[in-house]
Amino acid sequence: MHKLATAVSLAMGVTLSAGALAYDLTINGVTKTGLTDVKISSTATGVVVTTTPSFTVTIDGSNPDPTPDPDPTPDPDPTPDPDPTPDPDPTPNPTCGAVPDTIDVADGINWAQPGTQTRIALARKIKSMPFTATTSTGYLGQISVASTTGNSGVKRQVWVSECPGTAYTAANTACAKTGTSSTVIYFEQGTKYTGTFCQLTPNKEYYINVQNMNCTATTCDVYRNIYTNGKP
């Protein structure tokens, strides 16, 4: 028993010493003297020490809760599926339908502030430049398309249409011109100069179209200028 008590003392803080006629028992720093009998047994929850005189102490020998596993490293967000190939910019005017491959729709024009001279890359396709007429019926000006250096002999058509690249269908023939070094279309958002100015309806969407007729080079670029009366 003395050897058993020694083993328990190593594991549970129990010390058992034998005197001449009795035992002294120390459990976790608490000592009981004059014990004539000591029994030690184990249970599912710990160690039971029973003594004579009666002195029963239950020592919790169960393992403490283990250190909880740290939260697992969360799975990184899966790589999102790449955006599908975006649909091409829709034709702003839904009545126009799909744009043929022979037409290249360019960036839009701020019709109220069209800016200064702009170089337009132009090969054999029709270049269509969208704009929306302003609200003013007194707004007017001119659209000028001029050849770049070395392209003055190239014949080209310039016209305004309601859909990209399509012929102007209204009776106002002032909206279509043919020229070489410089081609000019006068426009108004009213009806003051009927027959001589291309008449635009306020707030309506249009396209300025330019097409080279006899470009033999890789590209025959042009300059676009839009002059206005400054009353958009």
Side-chain angles (χ1 to χ4, degrees):
M1 180 182 293
H2 188 272
K3 293 176 64 176
L4 177 61
T6 303
V8 172
S9 69
L10 293 176
M12 303 300 297
V14 177
T15 302
L16 180 65
S17 59
L21 299 175
Y23 295 99
D24 294 334
L25 178 63
T26 300
I27 302 176
N28 288 346
V30 179
T31 301
K32 182 71 174 178
T33 61
L35 302 176
T36 60
D37 188 35
V38 177
K39 294 182 179 180
I40 301 174
S41 61
S42 62
T43 68
T45 60
V47 175
V48 176
V49 180
T50 305
T51 67
T52 303
S54 179
F55 177 60
T56 303
V57 178
T58 301
I59 302 172
D60 184 7
S62 62
N63 292 329
D65 290 336
T67 302
D69 294 336
D71 291 335
T73 302
D75 293 335
D77 291 337
T79 302
D81 293 332
D83 290 334
T85 302
D87 294 330
D89 290 337
T91 302
N93 186 344
T95 63
C96 293
V99 178
D101 291 339
T102 56
I103 299 171
D104 182 12
V105 178
D107 293 337
I109 302 169
N110 180 349
W111 199 238
Q113 296 178 327
T116 57
Q117 178 173 274
T118 301
R119 181 166 182 144
I120 305 298
L122 189 65
R124 293 172 177 78
K125 285 188 176 183
I126 298 172
K127 183 77 71 172
S128 290
M129 296 160 276
F131 69 92
T132 301
T134 65
T135 59
S136 173
T137 57
Y139 193 41
L140 54 82
Q142 70 179 55
I143 302 164
S144 175
V145 176
S147 60
T148 55
T149 302
N151 296 316
S152 59
V154 175
K155 184 178 180 180
R156 66 186 54 87
Q157 292 180 339
V158 180
W159 71 101
V160 177
S161 63
E162 297 178 13
C163 289
T166 59
Y168 190 76
T169 56
N172 191 347
T173 57
C175 293
K177 299 292 182 181
T178 301
T180 52
S181 60
S182 180
T183 308
V184 176
I185 293 176
Y186 295 95
F187 73 87
E188 67 169 335
Q189 295 180 176
T191 57
K192 183 176 181 179
Y193 301 103
T194 302
T196 57
F197 279 48
C198 179
Q199 294 174 326
L200 307 178
T201 302
N203 295 316
K204 190 171 183 177
E205 186 173 89
Y206 295 94
Y207 294 81
I208 297 173
N209 306 283
V210 185
Q211 182 181 20
N212 288 322
M213 305 302 295
N214 58 342
C215 176
T216 58
T218 301
T219 182
C220 299
D221 295 354
V222 296
Y223 290 114
R224 184 199 72 208
N225 288 280
I226 300 173
Y227 306 99
T228 74
N229 63 353
K231 300 178 180 180

Coordinates of all heavy atoms in Angstrom, one line a residue, residues 28-97:
N28 N -3.2 17.1 -1.6 CA -3.2 18.4 -2.1 C -2.9 19.5 -1.1 O -3.6 20.5 -0.9 CB -4.5 18.8 -2.9 CG -4.7 18.0 -4.2 OD1 -3.7 17.5 -4.7 ND2 -5.9 18.0 -4.7
G29 N -2.0 19.2 -0.2 CA -1.6 20.1 0.8 C -2.4 20.0 2.1 O -2.0 20.7 3.1
V30 N -3.4 19.2 2.2 CA -4.2 19.0 3.4 C -3.8 17.7 4.1 O -3.8 16.6 3.4 CB -5.7 19.0 3.1 CG1 -6.5 18.8 4.4 CG2 -6.1 20.3 2.4
T31 N -3.4 17.7 5.3 CA -2.9 16.5 6.0 C -3.8 16.0 7.1 O -4.4 16.8 7.8 CB -1.5 16.9 6.7 OG1 -0.6 17.3 5.7 CG2 -0.9 15.7 7.4
K32 N -4.0 14.7 7.1 CA -4.8 14.0 8.1 C -3.9 13.0 8.8 O -3.3 12.2 8.1 CB -6.0 13.3 7.4 CG -6.9 12.6 8.4 CD -7.7 13.6 9.3 CE -8.7 12.9 10.1 NZ -9.5 13.9 11.0
T33 N -3.8 13.1 10.1 CA -2.9 12.3 10.9 C -3.7 11.2 11.7 O -4.9 11.3 11.8 CB -2.1 13.1 11.9 OG1 -3.0 13.7 12.8 CG2 -1.2 14.1 11.1
G34 N -3.0 10.2 12.1 CA -3.6 9.2 13.0 C -4.5 8.2 12.3 O -5.4 7.7 12.9
L35 N -4.3 8.0 11.0 CA -5.2 7.1 10.3 C -4.6 5.6 10.4 O -3.4 5.4 10.3 CB -5.2 7.4 8.8 CG -5.6 8.9 8.5 CD1 -5.5 9.1 7.0 CD2 -7.0 9.1 9.0
T36 N -5.6 4.7 10.8 CA -5.2 3.3 11.0 C -5.3 2.5 9.7 O -4.8 1.4 9.7 CB -6.0 2.7 12.1 OG1 -7.4 2.7 11.7 CG2 -5.8 3.4 13.4
D37 N -6.0 3.0 8.8 CA -6.2 2.2 7.5 C -6.4 3.2 6.4 O -7.1 4.2 6.5 CB -7.4 1.2 7.7 CG -7.5 0.3 6.5 OD1 -6.4 -0.1 5.9 OD2 -8.6 0.0 6.0
V38 N -5.9 2.9 5.2 CA -6.0 3.7 4.0 C -6.3 2.8 2.8 O -5.5 1.9 2.6 CB -4.8 4.6 3.8 CG1 -4.9 5.4 2.5 CG2 -4.5 5.5 5.0
K39 N -7.4 3.1 2.1 CA -7.7 2.4 0.9 C -7.8 3.4 -0.3 O -8.4 4.4 -0.2 CB -9.0 1.6 1.0 CG -8.9 0.5 2.0 CD -10.3 -0.3 2.1 CE -10.2 -1.4 3.1 NZ -11.5 -2.1 3.2
I40 N -7.1 3.0 -1.4 CA -7.1 3.9 -2.6 C -7.7 3.1 -3.7 O -7.3 1.9 -4.0 CB -5.7 4.3 -2.9 CG1 -5.1 5.1 -1.7 CG2 -5.7 5.2 -4.1 CD1 -3.7 5.5 -1.9
S41 N -8.7 3.6 -4.4 CA -9.3 3.0 -5.6 C -9.5 4.1 -6.6 O -9.6 5.3 -6.4 CB -10.6 2.3 -5.2 OG -11.5 3.2 -4.7
S42 N -9.7 3.6 -7.8 CA -9.9 4.5 -8.9 C -11.4 4.4 -9.5 O -12.0 3.3 -9.4 CB -8.9 4.3 -10.1 OG -9.1 3.0 -10.6
T43 N -11.9 5.5 -10.0 CA -13.2 5.5 -10.6 C -13.1 6.1 -12.0 O -12.0 6.5 -12.4 CB -14.2 6.3 -9.8 OG1 -13.9 7.6 -9.8 CG2 -14.2 5.8 -8.3
A44 N -14.2 6.1 -12.6 CA -14.2 6.7 -14.0 C -13.9 8.2 -14.0 O -13.4 8.8 -14.9 CB -15.6 6.5 -14.7
T45 N -14.1 8.8 -12.8 CA -13.9 10.3 -12.7 C -12.6 10.7 -12.0 O -12.3 11.9 -11.9 CB -15.1 11.0 -12.1 OG1 -15.3 10.5 -10.8 CG2 -16.3 10.8 -12.9
G46 N -12.0 9.7 -11.3 CA -10.8 10.1 -10.5 C -10.3 9.0 -9.6 O -10.5 7.8 -9.9
V47 N -9.8 9.4 -8.5 CA -9.2 8.5 -7.5 C -10.0 8.7 -6.1 O -10.2 9.9 -5.7 CB -7.7 8.7 -7.3 CG1 -7.2 7.9 -6.1 CG2 -7.0 8.5 -8.6
V48 N -10.4 7.6 -5.5 CA -11.1 7.7 -4.2 C -10.1 7.2 -3.1 O -9.6 6.1 -3.2 CB -12.4 6.9 -4.2 CG1 -13.0 7.0 -2.8 CG2 -13.3 7.5 -5.2
V49 N -9.9 8.0 -2.1 CA -9.1 7.6 -0.9 C -10.0 7.4 0.3 O -10.6 8.4 0.7 CB -7.9 8.6 -0.7 CG1 -7.1 8.1 0.5 CG2 -7.1 8.8 -1.9
T50 N -10.1 6.2 0.9 CA -10.9 6.0 2.0 C -10.0 5.6 3.2 O -9.1 4.8 3.1 CB -11.9 4.8 1.7 OG1 -12.6 5.2 0.6 CG2 -12.9 4.6 2.9
T51 N -10.3 6.2 4.3 CA -9.5 6.0 5.5 C -10.3 5.6 6.7 O -11.5 5.7 6.8 CB -8.7 7.3 5.8 OG1 -9.6 8.3 6.3 CG2 -7.9 7.8 4.6
T52 N -9.5 5.1 7.7 CA -10.1 4.8 9.1 C -9.2 5.6 10.1 O -8.0 5.3 10.0 CB -10.1 3.3 9.4 OG1 -10.9 2.6 8.4 CG2 -10.7 3.1 10.8
P53 N -9.7 6.4 10.9 CA -11.1 6.9 11.0 C -11.6 7.4 9.6 O -10.8 7.8 8.8 CB -11.1 8.0 12.0 CG -9.8 7.8 12.8 CD -8.9 7.2 11.9
S54 N -12.9 7.5 9.5 CA -13.5 7.9 8.2 C -13.0 9.3 7.7 O -13.1 10.3 8.4 CB -15.0 7.9 8.3 OG -15.6 8.3 7.1
F55 N -12.4 9.3 6.6 CA -11.9 10.5 6.0 C -11.8 10.3 4.5 O -10.8 9.7 4.0 CB -10.5 10.9 6.6 CG -9.9 12.1 5.9 CD1 -10.6 13.4 6.0 CD2 -8.7 12.1 5.3 CE1 -10.0 14.5 5.4 CE2 -8.1 13.2 4.7 CZ -8.8 14.4 4.8
T56 N -12.9 10.5 3.8 CA -13.0 10.2 2.4 C -12.8 11.5 1.5 O -13.6 12.5 1.8 CB -14.3 9.5 2.0 OG1 -14.4 8.3 2.8 CG2 -14.4 9.2 0.6
V57 N -11.9 11.4 0.6 CA -11.7 12.6 -0.3 C -11.7 12.1 -1.7 O -11.0 11.1 -2.0 CB -10.4 13.3 0.0 CG1 -10.1 14.4 -0.9 CG2 -10.4 13.8 1.5
T58 N -12.5 12.7 -2.6 CA -12.5 12.4 -4.0 C -11.6 13.4 -4.8 O -11.9 14.6 -4.7 CB -13.9 12.4 -4.6 OG1 -14.7 11.4 -3.8 CG2 -13.9 12.0 -6.0
I59 N -10.7 12.9 -5.5 CA -9.8 13.7 -6.2 C -10.2 13.6 -7.7 O -10.2 12.5 -8.2 CB -8.3 13.3 -6.0 CG1 -7.9 13.4 -4.6 CG2 -7.4 14.2 -6.9 CD1 -6.6 12.8 -4.3
D60 N -10.5 14.7 -8.3 CA -10.9 14.7 -9.7 C -9.7 14.5 -10.6 O -8.8 15.3 -10.6 CB -11.5 16.0 -10.1 CG -12.1 16.0 -11.5 OD1 -12.0 15.0 -12.2 OD2 -12.5 17.1 -12.0
G61 N -9.6 13.3 -11.1 CA -8.5 12.9 -12.0 C -8.8 13.0 -13.5 O -8.0 12.5 -14.3
S62 N -10.0 13.4 -13.8 CA -10.3 13.5 -15.2 C -9.5 14.5 -15.9 O -9.1 15.5 -15.3 CB -11.8 13.8 -15.4 OG -12.1 15.0 -14.8
N63 N -9.2 14.2 -17.1 CA -8.4 15.2 -17.9 C -9.2 16.5 -18.1 O -10.4 16.4 -18.4 CB -8.0 14.6 -19.3 CG -7.1 13.5 -19.1 OD1 -6.2 13.5 -18.2 ND2 -7.1 12.5 -20.0
P64 N -8.6 17.6 -17.9 CA -9.3 18.8 -18.2 C -9.6 18.9 -19.7 O -9.1 18.2 -20.5 CB -8.3 19.9 -17.8 CG -7.0 19.3 -18.0 CD -7.2 17.8 -17.6
D65 N -10.6 19.8 -20.0 CA -10.9 19.9 -21.5 C -9.6 20.2 -22.2 O -8.8 21.1 -21.8 CB -11.8 21.1 -21.7 CG -13.2 20.8 -21.1 OD1 -13.5 19.6 -21.0 OD2 -14.0 21.7 -20.8
P66 N -9.4 19.5 -23.2 CA -8.1 19.7 -24.0 C -8.2 21.1 -24.6 O -9.3 21.7 -24.8 CB -8.2 18.7 -25.1 CG -9.6 18.3 -25.2 CD -10.2 18.5 -23.8
T67 N -7.0 21.6 -24.8 CA -7.0 23.0 -25.4 C -7.7 22.8 -26.8 O -7.4 22.0 -27.6 CB -5.5 23.4 -25.7 OG1 -4.8 23.4 -24.4 CG2 -5.5 24.8 -26.4
P68 N -8.7 23.6 -26.9 CA -9.5 23.5 -28.2 C -8.6 23.7 -29.4 O -7.8 24.6 -29.3 CB -10.6 24.5 -28.0 CG -10.1 25.5 -27.1 CD -9.2 24.7 -26.1
D69 N -8.9 22.9 -30.4 CA -8.2 23.2 -31.6 C -8.5 24.6 -32.1 O -9.7 25.1 -32.0 CB -8.6 22.2 -32.7 CG -8.2 20.8 -32.3 OD1 -7.2 20.6 -31.6 OD2 -8.9 19.8 -32.8
P70 N -7.5 25.3 -32.5 CA -7.8 26.6 -33.0 C -8.7 26.5 -34.2 O -8.8 25.5 -34.9 CB -6.4 27.1 -33.5 CG -5.6 25.9 -33.7 CD -6.1 24.9 -32.7
D71 N -9.4 27.6 -34.4 CA -10.3 27.6 -35.6 C -9.5 27.3 -36.8 O -8.4 27.8 -37.0 CB -11.0 29.0 -35.7 CG -12.0 29.3 -34.6 OD1 -12.5 28.3 -34.0 OD2 -12.2 30.4 -34.3
P72 N -10.0 26.3 -37.5 CA -9.3 26.0 -38.7 C -9.1 27.2 -39.6 O -10.0 28.1 -39.7 CB -10.1 24.9 -39.4 CG -11.5 25.1 -38.9 CD -11.3 25.7 -37.5
T73 N -8.0 27.2 -40.3 CA -7.8 28.3 -41.3 C -8.9 28.2 -42.3 O -9.1 27.2 -42.9 CB -6.5 28.2 -42.0 OG1 -5.4 28.2 -41.0 CG2 -6.3 29.3 -43.0
P74 N -9.7 29.3 -42.4 CA -10.9 29.2 -43.3 C -10.4 29.0 -44.7 O -9.3 29.5 -45.1 CB -11.6 30.5 -43.1 CG -10.5 31.4 -42.6 CD -9.6 30.6 -41.7
D75 N -11.1 28.3 -45.5 CA -10.8 28.1 -46.9 C -10.8 29.5 -47.5 O -11.7 30.3 -47.3 CB -11.8 27.2 -47.6 CG -11.6 25.8 -47.1 OD1 -10.5 25.4 -46.6 OD2 -12.6 25.0 -47.2
P76 N -9.8 29.8 -48.3 CA -9.9 31.1 -48.9 C -11.0 31.1 -49.9 O -11.5 30.1 -50.3 CB -8.5 31.1 -49.7 CG -8.1 29.7 -49.9 CD -8.7 29.0 -48.7
D77 N -11.5 32.4 -50.1 CA -12.6 32.5 -51.0 C -12.2 31.9 -52.4 O -11.1 32.2 -52.8 CB -13.0 34.0 -51.2 CG -13.6 34.5 -50.0 OD1 -14.2 33.7 -49.2 OD2 -13.6 35.7 -49.8
P78 N -13.0 31.1 -52.9 CA -12.6 30.5 -54.2 C -12.5 31.6 -55.2 O -13.1 32.7 -55.2 CB -13.8 29.6 -54.6 CG -15.0 30.2 -53.8 CD -14.4 30.7 -52.5
T79 N -11.5 31.4 -56.1 CA -11.3 32.3 -57.2 C -12.6 32.5 -57.9 O -13.2 31.5 -58.4 CB -10.2 31.9 -58.1 OG1 -9.0 31.7 -57.3 CG2 -10.0 32.9 -59.2
P80 N -13.2 33.7 -57.9 CA -14.4 33.9 -58.6 C -14.3 33.6 -60.1 O -13.2 33.8 -60.7 CB -14.8 35.4 -58.4 CG -13.4 36.0 -58.1 CD -12.6 35.0 -57.4
D81 N -15.4 33.1 -60.6 CA -15.4 32.9 -62.1 C -15.2 34.2 -62.8 O -15.7 35.2 -62.4 CB -16.7 32.3 -62.5 CG -16.8 30.8 -62.0 OD1 -15.8 30.2 -61.7 OD2 -18.0 30.4 -61.8
P82 N -14.3 34.2 -63.8 CA -14.1 35.5 -64.5 C -15.4 35.9 -65.1 O -16.3 35.1 -65.4 CB -13.1 35.1 -65.5 CG -13.2 33.6 -65.7 CD -13.6 33.1 -64.4
D83 N -15.6 37.2 -65.2 CA -16.8 37.7 -65.8 C -16.9 37.2 -67.2 O -15.9 37.1 -67.9 CB -16.7 39.3 -65.9 CG -16.9 39.9 -64.5 OD1 -17.4 39.3 -63.6 OD2 -16.4 41.0 -64.4
P84 N -18.0 36.7 -67.6 CA -18.2 36.2 -68.9 C -17.9 37.3 -69.9 O -17.9 38.5 -69.6 CB -19.6 35.8 -69.0 CG -20.3 36.6 -67.9 CD -19.3 36.8 -66.8
T85 N -17.6 36.9 -71.1 CA -17.3 37.9 -72.1 C -18.5 38.9 -72.2 O -19.6 38.5 -72.4 CB -17.1 37.2 -73.5 OG1 -16.0 36.3 -73.4 CG2 -16.8 38.3 -74.6
P86 N -18.2 40.2 -71.9 CA -19.3 41.1 -71.9 C -20.0 41.2 -73.2 O -19.3 41.1 -74.3 CB -18.6 42.4 -71.5 CG -17.2 42.3 -71.9 CD -16.9 40.8 -71.7
D87 N -21.3 41.5 -73.2 CA -22.0 41.7 -74.4 C -21.5 43.0 -75.0 O -21.1 43.9 -74.3 CB -23.5 41.8 -74.1 CG -24.1 40.5 -73.7 OD1 -23.5 39.5 -74.1 OD2 -25.0 40.6 -72.9
P88 N -21.4 43.0 -76.3 CA -21.0 44.3 -76.9 C -22.0 45.4 -76.6 O -23.1 45.1 -76.2 CB -21.0 44.0 -78.4 CG -22.0 42.8 -78.6 CD -21.8 42.0 -77.3
D89 N -21.5 46.6 -76.6 CA -22.3 47.7 -76.2 C -23.6 47.7 -77.1 O -23.5 47.6 -78.3 CB -21.6 49.1 -76.5 CG -20.5 49.3 -75.5 OD1 -20.6 48.7 -74.4 OD2 -19.6 50.0 -75.8
P90 N -24.7 47.7 -76.4 CA -26.0 47.6 -77.3 C -26.1 48.9 -78.1 O -25.7 49.9 -77.8 CB -27.1 47.5 -76.2 CG -26.4 48.2 -75.0 CD -25.0 47.9 -75.0
T91 N -26.8 48.7 -79.2 CA -27.1 49.8 -80.0 C -28.0 50.7 -79.2 O -29.1 50.3 -78.8 CB -27.8 49.4 -81.3 OG1 -26.9 48.5 -82.0 CG2 -28.1 50.6 -82.2
P92 N -27.7 52.0 -79.0 CA -28.5 52.8 -78.2 C -30.0 52.9 -78.6 O -30.9 53.0 -77.8 CB -27.8 54.2 -78.2 CG -26.4 53.9 -78.5 CD -26.5 52.6 -79.4
N93 N -30.2 53.0 -79.9 CA -31.5 53.0 -80.5 C -31.9 51.6 -80.8 O -31.5 50.9 -81.7 CB -31.5 53.8 -81.8 CG -32.9 54.0 -82.3 OD1 -33.9 53.3 -81.9 ND2 -33.1 55.0 -83.2
P94 N -32.8 51.0 -80.0 CA -33.2 49.6 -80.1 C -33.9 49.3 -81.4 O -33.9 48.1 -81.9 CB -34.1 49.4 -78.9 CG -34.7 50.7 -78.6 CD -33.6 51.7 -78.9
T95 N -34.4 50.3 -82.1 CA -35.1 50.0 -83.4 C -34.1 49.8 -84.5 O -34.5 49.4 -85.6 CB -36.0 51.2 -83.8 OG1 -35.2 52.4 -84.0 CG2 -37.0 51.4 -82.7
C96 N -32.8 50.1 -84.3 CA -31.8 50.0 -85.3 C -31.3 48.5 -85.6 O -30.8 48.2 -86.6 CB -30.5 50.8 -85.0 SG -30.9 52.6 -85.0
G97 N -31.5 47.7 -84.6 CA -31.1 46.3 -84.8 C -29.6 46.1 -84.7 O -28.8 47.0 -84.3

